Amino acid sequence: MSPSVLEAPGAQTRVEIHPLPGSFAAEVVGLDLSRPLADDDFRRIHRAHLDHHVLVFRDQRITPEQQVAFSRRFGELQIHVLHQFHLKGHPEILIVSNIVENGQPVGLGDAGHFWHSDLSYKEVPSLGSMLLAQELPEEGGDTLFADQHAAWIALPPALKQRVRGLRAEHSYLARYEELRERSPWRPKLSDEQVAQVVPVVQPVVRTHPETARLGLFVSEHFTTRIVGLPDDESRTLLAELFAYGTRPELQYRHHWQPHDMVFWDNRSVTHLAAGCPEHMRRRLHRTTIEGDRPY
Ligand code: SIN
């Protein structure tokens, strides 16, 4: 695919969408996110986001206010339950970081260590997330994305037939204690926080509300069981779906560059933080946009 050049009266900039070779993701060239987004540019970014599921904006030296303003163009922002890691003065921004200062973690250091779709454990999960690089390790720290529409298409017909119409439980608490054992700085949740993340039931196969494309909507981080199936059957089926949904041919691996902003569609992809050597500093700022109730 060749880059599409997009110009329109009123647009502040000349925007090009460059599909990233060998992947579904694309790079957006020519857009400065520190400036207010013209409606024509918004429409093109919106379209490219639906088409490519993961958009990469390079060299965005933007402030938290600008990240929040750009994110808000796409919908209401969701506030993460771990208020301990909100950016001061900006509860819409979750700090994703392995940095410890004065004995205190500055952010959620093990965010994304299992494949997941952000906030699938809420009745109204996330439309998309934006992650802005602040400080990057010299080694590792990549983020992987897996296309869940392609996963659905490639599913064997008998499995497709079996899972269509099934529903599964998603819980923020599913692996919380397991993660706390590995990362003791992960805060113990208060009763109030636990009350914010009661388990919910979501369709196993979801219809994208804007493109009508079907996609798998289960993940190893948050999906606990298939409703109505005996435990062993549910575990086996979920393991099979997780394996199908994360096959290497479905993946785009993002290797971060300084000041990258990546905007992905949580209704189309799952993602995973690949991790970096513990002694290397990594810090990113995440905003999460509210989506629709899955169907
Ligand atoms: C996340 O799961 O939102 C964080 C991903 C990352 O740190 O690469």
Side-chain angles (χ1 to χ4, degrees):
M1 227 191 300
S2 61
S4 45
V5 179
L6 306 162
E7 272 183 306
Q12 296 217 10
T13 136
R14 180 187 164 91
V15 179
E16 293 184 10
I17 309 295
H18 292 227
L20 288 163
S23 123
F24 51 85
E27 192 172 313
V28 179
V29 177
L31 195 64
D32 176 357
L33 299 182
S34 72
R35 304 172 65 189
L37 193 66
D39 289 344
D40 284 325
D41 285 335
F42 167 76
R43 278 192 284 277
R44 285 165 173 94
I45 299 305
H46 179 218
R47 184 68 250 165
H49 190 243
L50 296 176
D51 292 342
H52 294 281
H53 319 319
V54 178
L55 297 179
V56 178
F57 304 80
R58 303 282 187 198
D59 202 25
Q60 299 295 332
R61 293 159 197 266
I62 59 174
T63 63
E65 289 79 5
Q66 288 163 339
Q67 179 175 355
V68 167
F70 180 60
S71 306
R72 280 219 175 105
R73 289 298 303 267
F74 295 85
E76 290 297 317
L77 301 191
Q78 293 171 300
I79 308 295
H80 198 275
V81 63
L82 288 181
H83 57 76
Q84 291 90 339
F85 301 135
H86 292 170
L87 182 66
K88 199 157 183 266
H90 295 281
E92 312 88 345
I93 294 183
L94 175 74
I95 304 173
V96 172
S97 179
N98 62 356
I99 299 170
V100 176
E101 269 164 13
N102 305 319
Q104 292 298 317
V106 304
L108 186 58
D110 57 2
H113 279 202
F114 296 104
W115 284 99
H116 66 287
S117 167
D118 285 331
L119 278 62
S120 72
Y121 53 83
K122 303 287 277 184
E123 263 180 39
V124 180
S126 162
L127 174 158
S129 305
M130 297 194 188
L131 197 56
L132 177 66
Q134 304 284 320
E135 200 172 340
L136 296 172
E138 280 158 25
E139 231 179 85
D142 294 353
T143 307
L144 278 61
F145 298 91
D147 181 345
Q148 297 307 293
H149 301 306
W152 168 252
I153 289 167
L155 227 53
L159 190 54
K160 268 189 177 151
Q161 209 175 344
R162 182 158 176 231
V163 299
R164 222 172 155 170
L166 290 181
R167 297 170 70 73
E169 183 185 76
H170 292 232
S171 171
Y172 181 69
L173 304 178
R175 306 192 88 139
Y176 199 85
E177 288 310 317
E178 178 187 339
L179 286 165
R180 266 190 97 217
E181 271 169 35
R182 289 194 226 165
S183 321
W185 44 260
R186 216 179 223 264
K188 183 167 167 44
L189 296 175
S190 66
D191 291 347
E192 199 186 316
Q193 284 171 310
V194 171
Q196 281 177 43
V197 289
V198 285
V200 298
V201 169
Q202 307 285 20
V204 168
V205 184
R206 170 176 195 182
T207 307
H208 192 293
E210 295 186 80
T211 63
R213 295 188 69 191
L214 296 179
L216 281 182
F217 195 59
V218 288
S219 76
E220 59 175 5
H221 195 156
F222 298 128
T223 312
T224 50
R225 66 185 176 93
I226 308 247
V227 176
L229 290 192
D231 282 356
D232 54 344
E233 216 178 298
S234 162
R235 255 195 312 276
T236 308
L237 182 54
L238 281 177
E240 200 176 355
L241 293 176
F242 298 159
Y244 270 108
T246 56
R247 280 172 306 143
E249 61 270 29
L250 303 176
Q251 294 179 19
Y252 162 64
R253 184 179 192 109
H254 185 69
H255 179 64
W256 291 87
Q257 296 180 21
H259 309 288
D260 273 357
M261 160 86 110
V262 175
F263 176 26
W264 64 86
D265 190 333
N266 282 306
R267 305 160 300 182
S268 296
V269 295
T270 52
H271 62 283
L272 174 79
C276 69
E278 252 174 56
H279 65 283
M280 290 187 179
R281 292 165 65 98
R282 182 176 190 266
R283 176 179 172 132
L284 304 99
H285 286 177
R286 193 181 94 186
T287 42
T288 310
I289 301 147
E290 188 167 74
D292 301 83
R293 205 176 281 266
Y295 57 91

